[in-house]
PDB file of all heavy atoms in Angstrom:
ATOM      1  N   ARG A  94       5.015  58.623  98.038  1.00 94.00           N
ATOM      2  CA  ARG A  94       5.632  58.666  99.370  1.00 94.00           C
ATOM      3  C   ARG A  94       6.888  57.785  99.418  1.00 94.00           C
ATOM      4  O   ARG A  94       7.847  58.098 100.120  1.00 94.00           O
ATOM      5  CB  ARG A  94       4.621  58.208 100.420  1.00 94.00           C
ATOM      6  CG  ARG A  94       5.151  58.348 101.842  1.00 94.00           C
ATOM      7  CD  ARG A  94       4.070  58.193 102.860  1.00 94.00           C
ATOM      8  NE  ARG A  94       3.519  56.827 102.850  1.00 94.00           N
ATOM      9  CZ  ARG A  94       2.670  56.372 103.757  1.00 94.00           C
ATOM     10  NH1 ARG A  94       2.245  57.162 104.712  1.00 94.00           N
ATOM     11  NH2 ARG A  94       2.208  55.149 103.695  1.00 94.00           N
ATOM     12  N   THR A  95       6.916  56.675  98.639  1.00 91.00           N
ATOM     13  CA  THR A  95       8.092  55.787  98.669  1.00 91.00           C
ATOM     14  C   THR A  95       9.337  56.496  98.149  1.00 91.00           C
ATOM     15  O   THR A  95      10.448  56.057  98.397  1.00 91.00           O
ATOM     16  CB  THR A  95       7.876  54.517  97.815  1.00 91.00           C
ATOM     17  OG1 THR A  95       7.677  54.914  96.450  1.00 91.00           O
ATOM     18  CG2 THR A  95       6.673  53.721  98.288  1.00 91.00           C
ATOM     19  N   ARG A  96       9.162  57.582  97.390  1.00 90.00           N
ATOM     20  CA  ARG A  96      10.321  58.344  96.900  1.00 90.00           C
ATOM     21  C   ARG A  96      10.379  59.713  97.593  1.00 90.00           C
ATOM     22  O   ARG A  96      10.999  60.629  97.079  1.00 90.00           O
ATOM     23  CB  ARG A  96      10.240  58.528  95.379  1.00 90.00           C
ATOM     24  CG  ARG A  96      10.654  57.288  94.583  1.00 90.00           C
ATOM     25  CD  ARG A  96      12.123  56.967  94.833  1.00 90.00           C
ATOM     26  NE  ARG A  96      12.677  55.891  94.032  1.00 90.00           N
ATOM     27  CZ  ARG A  96      12.573  54.588  94.295  1.00 90.00           C
ATOM     28  NH1 ARG A  96      11.869  54.169  95.328  1.00 90.00           N
ATOM     29  NH2 ARG A  96      13.163  53.686  93.526  1.00 90.00           N
ATOM     30  N   SER A  97       9.723  59.818  98.758  1.00 89.00           N
ATOM     31  CA  SER A  97       9.691  61.072  99.529  1.00 89.00           C
ATOM     32  C   SER A  97       9.273  62.254  98.678  1.00 89.00           C
ATOM     33  O   SER A  97       9.841  63.348  98.773  1.00 89.00           O
ATOM     34  CB  SER A  97      11.074  61.366 100.143  1.00 89.00           C
ATOM     35  OG  SER A  97      11.586  60.231 100.754  1.00 89.00           O
ATOM     36  N   ALA A  98       8.279  62.027  97.803  1.00 90.00           N
ATOM     37  CA  ALA A  98       7.856  63.094  96.886  1.00 90.00           C
ATOM     38  C   ALA A  98       6.577  63.789  97.354  1.00 90.00           C
ATOM     39  O   ALA A  98       5.918  64.471  96.572  1.00 90.00           O
ATOM     40  CB  ALA A  98       7.673  62.526  95.481  1.00 90.00           C
ATOM     41  N   LEU A  99       6.229  63.607  98.648  1.00 93.00           N
ATOM     42  CA  LEU A  99       5.024  64.283  99.170  1.00 93.00           C
ATOM     43  C   LEU A  99       5.422  65.448 100.065  1.00 93.00           C
ATOM     44  O   LEU A  99       6.401  65.359 100.814  1.00 93.00           O
ATOM     45  CB  LEU A  99       4.211  63.288 100.006  1.00 93.00           C
ATOM     46  CG  LEU A  99       3.524  62.114  99.309  1.00 93.00           C
ATOM     47  CD1 LEU A  99       2.659  61.355 100.312  1.00 93.00           C
ATOM     48  CD2 LEU A  99       2.686  62.588  98.134  1.00 93.00           C
ATOM     49  N   ASP A 100       4.640  66.558  99.983  1.00 94.00           N
ATOM     50  CA  ASP A 100       4.874  67.626 100.961  1.00 94.00           C
ATOM     51  C   ASP A 100       4.088  67.295 102.233  1.00 94.00           C
ATOM     52  O   ASP A 100       3.230  66.402 102.202  1.00 94.00           O
ATOM     53  CB  ASP A 100       4.530  69.003 100.364  1.00 94.00           C
ATOM     54  CG  ASP A 100       3.073  69.110  99.936  1.00 94.00           C
ATOM     55  OD1 ASP A 100       2.214  68.603 100.687  1.00 94.00           O
ATOM     56  OD2 ASP A 100       2.811  69.682  98.855  1.00 94.00           O
ATOM     57  N   PRO A 101       4.393  67.943 103.357  1.00 95.00           N
ATOM     58  CA  PRO A 101       3.776  67.573 104.640  1.00 95.00           C
ATOM     59  C   PRO A 101       2.247  67.548 104.598  1.00 95.00           C
ATOM     60  O   PRO A 101       1.621  66.655 105.184  1.00 95.00           O
ATOM     61  CB  PRO A 101       4.271  68.659 105.596  1.00 95.00           C
ATOM     62  CG  PRO A 101       5.536  69.146 104.994  1.00 95.00           C
ATOM     63  CD  PRO A 101       5.369  69.028 103.510  1.00 95.00           C
ATOM     64  N   ALA A 102       1.641  68.525 103.871  1.00 96.00           N
ATOM     65  CA  ALA A 102       0.175  68.578 103.811  1.00 96.00           C
ATOM     66  C   ALA A 102      -0.367  67.323 103.116  1.00 96.00           C
ATOM     67  O   ALA A 102      -1.313  66.682 103.600  1.00 96.00           O
ATOM     68  CB  ALA A 102      -0.267  69.835 103.069  1.00 96.00           C
ATOM     69  N   GLU A 103       0.252  66.959 101.977  1.00 95.00           N
ATOM     70  CA  GLU A 103      -0.186  65.762 101.254  1.00 95.00           C
ATOM     71  C   GLU A 103      -0.007  64.521 102.122  1.00 95.00           C
ATOM     72  O   GLU A 103      -0.849  63.629 102.147  1.00 95.00           O
ATOM     73  CB  GLU A 103       0.657  65.597  99.970  1.00 95.00           C
ATOM     74  CG  GLU A 103       0.330  66.574  98.867  1.00 95.00           C
ATOM     75  CD  GLU A 103       1.285  66.436  97.685  1.00 95.00           C
ATOM     76  OE1 GLU A 103       2.521  66.414  97.908  1.00 95.00           O
ATOM     77  OE2 GLU A 103       0.781  66.345  96.547  1.00 95.00           O
ATOM     78  N   GLU A 104       1.106  64.518 102.841  1.00 95.00           N
ATOM     79  CA  GLU A 104       1.431  63.384 103.706  1.00 95.00           C
ATOM     80  C   GLU A 104       0.343  63.183 104.764  1.00 95.00           C
ATOM     81  O   GLU A 104      -0.131  62.065 104.971  1.00 95.00           O
ATOM     82  CB  GLU A 104       2.793  63.658 104.365  1.00 95.00           C
ATOM     83  CG  GLU A 104       3.251  62.609 105.345  1.00 95.00           C
ATOM     84  CD  GLU A 104       4.313  61.673 104.764  1.00 95.00           C
ATOM     85  OE1 GLU A 104       5.161  62.160 104.010  1.00 95.00           O
ATOM     86  OE2 GLU A 104       4.253  60.480 105.074  1.00 95.00           O
ATOM     87  N   SER A 105      -0.082  64.284 105.400  1.00 96.00           N
ATOM     88  CA  SER A 105      -1.082  64.120 106.465  1.00 96.00           C
ATOM     89  C   SER A 105      -2.453  63.793 105.871  1.00 96.00           C
ATOM     90  O   SER A 105      -3.228  63.038 106.472  1.00 96.00           O
ATOM     91  CB  SER A 105      -1.150  65.347 107.379  1.00 96.00           C
ATOM     92  OG  SER A 105      -1.235  66.512 106.620  1.00 96.00           O
ATOM     93  N   ARG A 106      -2.773  64.323 104.677  1.00 96.00           N
ATOM     94  CA  ARG A 106      -4.028  63.945 104.013  1.00 96.00           C
ATOM     95  C   ARG A 106      -4.031  62.436 103.724  1.00 96.00           C
ATOM     96  O   ARG A 106      -5.022  61.757 103.939  1.00 96.00           O
ATOM     97  CB  ARG A 106      -4.211  64.720 102.705  1.00 96.00           C
ATOM     98  CG  ARG A 106      -4.983  66.023 102.884  1.00 96.00           C
ATOM     99  CD  ARG A 106      -5.588  66.506 101.564  1.00 96.00           C
ATOM    100  NE  ARG A 106      -4.578  66.707 100.520  1.00 96.00           N
ATOM    101  CZ  ARG A 106      -3.833  67.822 100.407  1.00 96.00           C
ATOM    102  NH1 ARG A 106      -3.991  68.811 101.255  1.00 96.00           N
ATOM    103  NH2 ARG A 106      -2.946  67.943  99.440  1.00 96.00           N
ATOM    104  N   LEU A 107      -2.862  61.929 103.259  1.00 96.00           N
ATOM    105  CA  LEU A 107      -2.754  60.494 102.959  1.00 96.00           C
ATOM    106  C   LEU A 107      -2.947  59.670 104.234  1.00 96.00           C
ATOM    107  O   LEU A 107      -3.714  58.700 104.249  1.00 96.00           O
ATOM    108  CB  LEU A 107      -1.379  60.181 102.340  1.00 96.00           C
ATOM    109  CG  LEU A 107      -1.065  58.703 102.121  1.00 96.00           C
ATOM    110  CD1 LEU A 107      -2.041  58.060 101.128  1.00 96.00           C
ATOM    111  CD2 LEU A 107       0.372  58.518 101.617  1.00 96.00           C
ATOM    112  N   GLU A 108      -2.282  60.114 105.325  1.00 96.00           N
ATOM    113  CA  GLU A 108      -2.402  59.398 106.601  1.00 96.00           C
ATOM    114  C   GLU A 108      -3.867  59.316 107.037  1.00 96.00           C
ATOM    115  O   GLU A 108      -4.349  58.262 107.432  1.00 96.00           O
ATOM    116  CB  GLU A 108      -1.584  60.104 107.697  1.00 96.00           C
ATOM    117  CG  GLU A 108      -0.077  59.939 107.559  1.00 96.00           C
ATOM    118  CD  GLU A 108       0.382  58.485 107.679  1.00 96.00           C
ATOM    119  OE1 GLU A 108      -0.386  57.669 108.227  1.00 96.00           O
ATOM    120  OE2 GLU A 108       1.494  58.175 107.189  1.00 96.00           O
ATOM    121  N   ALA A 109      -4.548  60.465 106.948  1.00 96.00           N
ATOM    122  CA  ALA A 109      -5.950  60.507 107.366  1.00 96.00           C
ATOM    123  C   ALA A 109      -6.796  59.560 106.518  1.00 96.00           C
ATOM    124  O   ALA A 109      -7.636  58.815 107.040  1.00 96.00           O
ATOM    125  CB  ALA A 109      -6.486  61.936 107.253  1.00 96.00           C
ATOM    126  N   HIS A 110      -6.542  59.576 105.201  1.00 96.00           N
ATOM    127  CA  HIS A 110      -7.319  58.700 104.314  1.00 96.00           C
ATOM    128  C   HIS A 110      -7.040  57.227 104.633  1.00 96.00           C
ATOM    129  O   HIS A 110      -7.961  56.405 104.669  1.00 96.00           O
ATOM    130  CB  HIS A 110      -7.009  58.993 102.855  1.00 96.00           C
ATOM    131  CG  HIS A 110      -7.801  58.134 101.914  1.00 96.00           C
ATOM    132  ND1 HIS A 110      -9.126  58.398 101.595  1.00 96.00           N
ATOM    133  CD2 HIS A 110      -7.485  56.993 101.259  1.00 96.00           C
ATOM    134  CE1 HIS A 110      -9.576  57.459 100.775  1.00 96.00           C
ATOM    135  NE2 HIS A 110      -8.588  56.583 100.546  1.00 96.00           N
ATOM    136  N   LEU A 111      -5.782  56.902 104.871  1.00 96.00           N
ATOM    137  CA  LEU A 111      -5.427  55.504 105.149  1.00 96.00           C
ATOM    138  C   LEU A 111      -6.118  54.995 106.421  1.00 96.00           C
ATOM    139  O   LEU A 111      -6.536  53.834 106.488  1.00 96.00           O
ATOM    140  CB  LEU A 111      -3.904  55.337 105.282  1.00 96.00           C
ATOM    141  CG  LEU A 111      -3.099  55.455 103.977  1.00 96.00           C
ATOM    142  CD1 LEU A 111      -1.609  55.270 104.249  1.00 96.00           C
ATOM    143  CD2 LEU A 111      -3.570  54.441 102.939  1.00 96.00           C
ATOM    144  N   ARG A 112      -6.253  55.902 107.404  1.00 96.00           N
ATOM    145  CA  ARG A 112      -6.931  55.495 108.639  1.00 96.00           C
ATOM    146  C   ARG A 112      -8.387  55.148 108.367  1.00 96.00           C
ATOM    147  O   ARG A 112      -8.940  54.245 108.982  1.00 96.00           O
ATOM    148  CB  ARG A 112      -6.839  56.614 109.702  1.00 96.00           C
ATOM    149  CG  ARG A 112      -5.514  56.596 110.492  1.00 96.00           C
ATOM    150  CD  ARG A 112      -5.592  57.485 111.723  1.00 96.00           C
ATOM    151  NE  ARG A 112      -5.761  58.912 111.381  1.00 96.00           N
ATOM    152  CZ  ARG A 112      -4.737  59.720 111.067  1.00 96.00           C
ATOM    153  NH1 ARG A 112      -3.498  59.256 111.078  1.00 96.00           N
ATOM    154  NH2 ARG A 112      -4.959  60.981 110.775  1.00 96.00           N
ATOM    155  N   ALA A 113      -8.963  55.830 107.379  1.00 95.00           N
ATOM    156  CA  ALA A 113     -10.404  55.674 107.145  1.00 95.00           C
ATOM    157  C   ALA A 113     -10.738  54.652 106.065  1.00 95.00           C
ATOM    158  O   ALA A 113     -11.859  54.149 106.010  1.00 95.00           O
ATOM    159  CB  ALA A 113     -11.008  57.033 106.769  1.00 95.00           C
ATOM    160  N   CYS A 114      -9.778  54.327 105.168  1.00 95.00           N
ATOM    161  CA  CYS A 114     -10.109  53.524 103.989  1.00 95.00           C
ATOM    162  C   CYS A 114      -9.334  52.204 103.977  1.00 95.00           C
ATOM    163  O   CYS A 114      -8.102  52.188 103.815  1.00 95.00           O
ATOM    164  CB  CYS A 114      -9.795  54.334 102.724  1.00 95.00           C
ATOM    165  SG  CYS A 114     -10.073  53.424 101.204  1.00 95.00           S
ATOM    166  N   ALA A 115     -10.076  51.102 104.128  1.00 95.00           N
ATOM    167  CA  ALA A 115      -9.432  49.781 104.203  1.00 95.00           C
ATOM    168  C   ALA A 115      -8.741  49.364 102.889  1.00 95.00           C
ATOM    169  O   ALA A 115      -7.606  48.884 102.929  1.00 95.00           O
ATOM    170  CB  ALA A 115     -10.453  48.735 104.628  1.00 95.00           C
ATOM    171  N   PRO A 116      -9.405  49.528 101.720  1.00 93.00           N
ATOM    172  CA  PRO A 116      -8.717  49.136 100.477  1.00 93.00           C
ATOM    173  C   PRO A 116      -7.385  49.868 100.275  1.00 93.00           C
ATOM    174  O   PRO A 116      -6.403  49.268  99.854  1.00 93.00           O
ATOM    175  CB  PRO A 116      -9.718  49.518  99.378  1.00 93.00           C
ATOM    176  CG  PRO A 116     -11.037  49.510 100.047  1.00 93.00           C
ATOM    177  CD  PRO A 116     -10.791  49.967 101.453  1.00 93.00           C
ATOM    178  N   CYS A 117      -7.351  51.180 100.571  1.00 95.00           N
ATOM    179  CA  CYS A 117      -6.120  51.934 100.398  1.00 95.00           C
ATOM    180  C   CYS A 117      -5.068  51.483 101.411  1.00 95.00           C
ATOM    181  O   CYS A 117      -3.865  51.467 101.101  1.00 95.00           O
ATOM    182  CB  CYS A 117      -6.358  53.438 100.520  1.00 95.00           C
ATOM    183  SG  CYS A 117      -7.073  54.120  99.012  1.00 95.00           S
ATOM    184  N   ARG A 118      -5.533  51.129 102.623  1.00 95.00           N
ATOM    185  CA  ARG A 118      -4.595  50.608 103.626  1.00 95.00           C
ATOM    186  C   ARG A 118      -3.960  49.320 103.111  1.00 95.00           C
ATOM    187  O   ARG A 118      -2.767  49.097 103.239  1.00 95.00           O
ATOM    188  CB  ARG A 118      -5.347  50.340 104.943  1.00 95.00           C
ATOM    189  CG  ARG A 118      -4.859  51.202 106.064  1.00 95.00           C
ATOM    190  CD  ARG A 118      -5.334  50.832 107.442  1.00 95.00           C
ATOM    191  NE  ARG A 118      -6.525  50.026 107.563  1.00 95.00           N
ATOM    192  CZ  ARG A 118      -7.761  50.519 107.754  1.00 95.00           C
ATOM    193  NH1 ARG A 118      -7.955  51.819 107.768  1.00 95.00           N
ATOM    194  NH2 ARG A 118      -8.777  49.705 107.913  1.00 95.00           N
ATOM    195  N   GLU A 119      -4.788  48.496 102.471  1.00 93.00           N
ATOM    196  CA  GLU A 119      -4.280  47.229 101.950  1.00 93.00           C
ATOM    197  C   GLU A 119      -3.287  47.496 100.805  1.00 93.00           C
ATOM    198  O   GLU A 119      -2.235  46.853 100.717  1.00 93.00           O
ATOM    199  CB  GLU A 119      -5.440  46.368 101.456  1.00 93.00           C
ATOM    200  CG  GLU A 119      -5.037  44.907 101.295  1.00 93.00           C
ATOM    201  CD  GLU A 119      -6.110  44.089 100.601  1.00 93.00           C
ATOM    202  OE1 GLU A 119      -7.301  44.321 100.888  1.00 93.00           O
ATOM    203  OE2 GLU A 119      -5.738  43.236  99.777  1.00 93.00           O
ATOM    204  N   PHE A 120      -3.655  48.468  99.947  1.00 94.00           N
ATOM    205  CA  PHE A 120      -2.744  48.834  98.844  1.00 94.00           C
ATOM    206  C   PHE A 120      -1.386  49.263  99.415  1.00 94.00           C
ATOM    207  O   PHE A 120      -0.330  48.811  98.957  1.00 94.00           O
ATOM    208  CB  PHE A 120      -3.358  49.964  98.008  1.00 94.00           C
ATOM    209  CG  PHE A 120      -2.476  50.428  96.874  1.00 94.00           C
ATOM    210  CD1 PHE A 120      -2.503  49.781  95.643  1.00 94.00           C
ATOM    211  CD2 PHE A 120      -1.602  51.504  97.041  1.00 94.00           C
ATOM    212  CE1 PHE A 120      -1.675  50.195  94.599  1.00 94.00           C
ATOM    213  CE2 PHE A 120      -0.772  51.924  95.998  1.00 94.00           C
ATOM    214  CZ  PHE A 120      -0.820  51.262  94.781  1.00 94.00           C
ATOM    215  N   ALA A 121      -1.421  50.125 100.438  1.00 95.00           N
ATOM    216  CA  ALA A 121      -0.177  50.637 101.027  1.00 95.00           C
ATOM    217  C   ALA A 121       0.609  49.513 101.701  1.00 95.00           C
ATOM    218  O   ALA A 121       1.843  49.470 101.614  1.00 95.00           O
ATOM    219  CB  ALA A 121      -0.490  51.744 102.026  1.00 95.00           C
ATOM    220  N   ALA A 122      -0.115  48.591 102.345  1.00 94.00           N
ATOM    221  CA  ALA A 122       0.572  47.493 103.031  1.00 94.00           C
ATOM    222  C   ALA A 122       1.255  46.564 102.029  1.00 94.00           C
ATOM    223  O   ALA A 122       2.400  46.153 102.224  1.00 94.00           O
ATOM    224  CB  ALA A 122      -0.426  46.712 103.891  1.00 94.00           C
ATOM    225  N   THR A 123       0.550  46.249 100.926  1.00 93.00           N
ATOM    226  CA  THR A 123       1.135  45.393  99.886  1.00 93.00           C
ATOM    227  C   THR A 123       2.343  46.081  99.258  1.00 93.00           C
ATOM    228  O   THR A 123       3.382  45.455  99.020  1.00 93.00           O
ATOM    229  CB  THR A 123       0.090  45.104  98.776  1.00 93.00           C
ATOM    230  OG1 THR A 123      -1.084  44.622  99.400  1.00 93.00           O
ATOM    231  CG2 THR A 123       0.601  44.073  97.791  1.00 93.00           C
ATOM    232  N   LEU A 124       2.179  47.389  99.037  1.00 94.00           N
ATOM    233  CA  LEU A 124       3.281  48.183  98.477  1.00 94.00           C
ATOM    234  C   LEU A 124       4.516  48.077  99.363  1.00 94.00           C
ATOM    235  O   LEU A 124       5.624  47.802  98.888  1.00 94.00           O
ATOM    236  CB  LEU A 124       2.823  49.640  98.345  1.00 94.00           C
ATOM    237  CG  LEU A 124       3.855  50.657  97.882  1.00 94.00           C
ATOM    238  CD1 LEU A 124       4.343  50.307  96.487  1.00 94.00           C
ATOM    239  CD2 LEU A 124       3.255  52.058  97.888  1.00 94.00           C
ATOM    240  N   GLU A 125       4.302  48.254 100.656  1.00 93.00           N
ATOM    241  CA  GLU A 125       5.406  48.209 101.617  1.00 93.00           C
ATOM    242  C   GLU A 125       6.044  46.819 101.632  1.00 93.00           C
ATOM    243  O   GLU A 125       7.268  46.673 101.501  1.00 93.00           O
ATOM    244  CB  GLU A 125       4.853  48.581 103.014  1.00 93.00           C
ATOM    245  CG  GLU A 125       5.790  48.362 104.185  1.00 93.00           C
ATOM    246  CD  GLU A 125       6.910  49.391 104.223  1.00 93.00           C
ATOM    247  OE1 GLU A 125       6.789  50.411 103.508  1.00 93.00           O
ATOM    248  OE2 GLU A 125       7.907  49.160 104.944  1.00 93.00           O
ATOM    249  N   ALA A 126       5.199  45.784 101.733  1.00 92.00           N
ATOM    250  CA  ALA A 126       5.721  44.414 101.850  1.00 92.00           C
ATOM    251  C   ALA A 126       6.482  43.990 100.595  1.00 92.00           C
ATOM    252  O   ALA A 126       7.580  43.425 100.680  1.00 92.00           O
ATOM    253  CB  ALA A 126       4.567  43.448 102.118  1.00 92.00           C
ATOM    254  N   THR A 127       5.911  44.295  99.421  1.00 93.00           N
ATOM    255  CA  THR A 127       6.585  43.881  98.182  1.00 93.00           C
ATOM    256  C   THR A 127       7.874  44.671  97.979  1.00 93.00           C
ATOM    257  O   THR A 127       8.870  44.113  97.533  1.00 93.00           O
ATOM    258  CB  THR A 127       5.662  44.056  96.954  1.00 93.00           C
ATOM    259  OG1 THR A 127       5.114  45.363  96.975  1.00 93.00           O
ATOM    260  CG2 THR A 127       4.567  43.027  96.918  1.00 93.00           C
ATOM    261  N   SER A 128       7.868  45.973  98.344  1.00 93.00           N
ATOM    262  CA  SER A 128       9.091  46.771  98.201  1.00 93.00           C
ATOM    263  C   SER A 128      10.194  46.201  99.077  1.00 93.00           C
ATOM    264  O   SER A 128      11.344  46.070  98.640  1.00 93.00           O
ATOM    265  CB  SER A 128       8.840  48.231  98.581  1.00 93.00           C
ATOM    266  OG  SER A 128       7.845  48.767  97.759  1.00 93.00           O
ATOM    267  N   VAL A 129       9.840  45.866 100.326  1.00 92.00           N
ATOM    268  CA  VAL A 129      10.841  45.310 101.253  1.00 92.00           C
ATOM    269  C   VAL A 129      11.368  43.984 100.718  1.00 92.00           C
ATOM    270  O   VAL A 129      12.581  43.736 100.690  1.00 92.00           O
ATOM    271  CB  VAL A 129      10.225  45.131 102.668  1.00 92.00           C
ATOM    272  CG1 VAL A 129      11.133  44.282 103.545  1.00 92.00           C
ATOM    273  CG2 VAL A 129       9.981  46.488 103.299  1.00 92.00           C
ATOM    274  N   ALA A 130      10.445  43.125 100.238  1.00 92.00           N
ATOM    275  CA  ALA A 130      10.869  41.805  99.742  1.00 92.00           C
ATOM    276  C   ALA A 130      11.799  41.951  98.541  1.00 92.00           C
ATOM    277  O   ALA A 130      12.823  41.269  98.442  1.00 92.00           O
ATOM    278  CB  ALA A 130       9.647  40.969  99.379  1.00 92.00           C
ATOM    279  N   MET A 131      11.443  42.870  97.623  1.00 93.00           N
ATOM    280  CA  MET A 131      12.276  43.052  96.418  1.00 93.00           C
ATOM    281  C   MET A 131      13.648  43.612  96.787  1.00 93.00           C
ATOM    282  O   MET A 131      14.670  43.171  96.263  1.00 93.00           O
ATOM    283  CB  MET A 131      11.569  43.972  95.416  1.00 93.00           C
ATOM    284  CG  MET A 131      10.419  43.285  94.681  1.00 93.00           C
ATOM    285  SD  MET A 131       9.450  44.441  93.696  1.00 93.00           S
ATOM    286  CE  MET A 131      10.234  44.282  92.093  1.00 93.00           C
ATOM    287  N   SER A 132      13.670  44.586  97.694  1.00 92.00           N
ATOM    288  CA  SER A 132      14.947  45.185  98.094  1.00 92.00           C
ATOM    289  C   SER A 132      15.844  44.157  98.767  1.00 92.00           C
ATOM    290  O   SER A 132      17.029  44.055  98.458  1.00 92.00           O
ATOM    291  CB  SER A 132      14.727  46.332  99.078  1.00 92.00           C
ATOM    292  OG  SER A 132      14.136  47.383  98.425  1.00 92.00           O
ATOM    293  N   SER A 133      15.261  43.386  99.698  1.00 91.00           N
ATOM    294  CA  SER A 133      16.120  42.469 100.444  1.00 91.00           C
ATOM    295  C   SER A 133      16.572  41.318  99.545  1.00 91.00           C
ATOM    296  O   SER A 133      17.695  40.834  99.667  1.00 91.00           O
ATOM    297  CB  SER A 133      15.422  41.962 101.706  1.00 91.00           C
ATOM    298  OG  SER A 133      14.418  41.063 101.361  1.00 91.00           O
TER     299      SER A 133
END
Side-chain angles (χ1 to χ4, degrees):
Chain A
R94 185 167 66 171
T95 62
R96 282 296 186 277
S97 313
L99 292 186
D100 60 41
E103 287 175 311
E104 177 102 38
S105 49
R106 269 201 302 277
L107 173 63
E108 287 297 340
H110 181 79
L111 288 180
R112 277 193 295 276
C114 177
C117 282
R118 244 192 339 265
E119 197 189 321
F120 179 86
T123 308
L124 175 62
E125 170 73 14
T127 50
S128 301
V129 167
M131 285 171 94
S132 291
S133 72

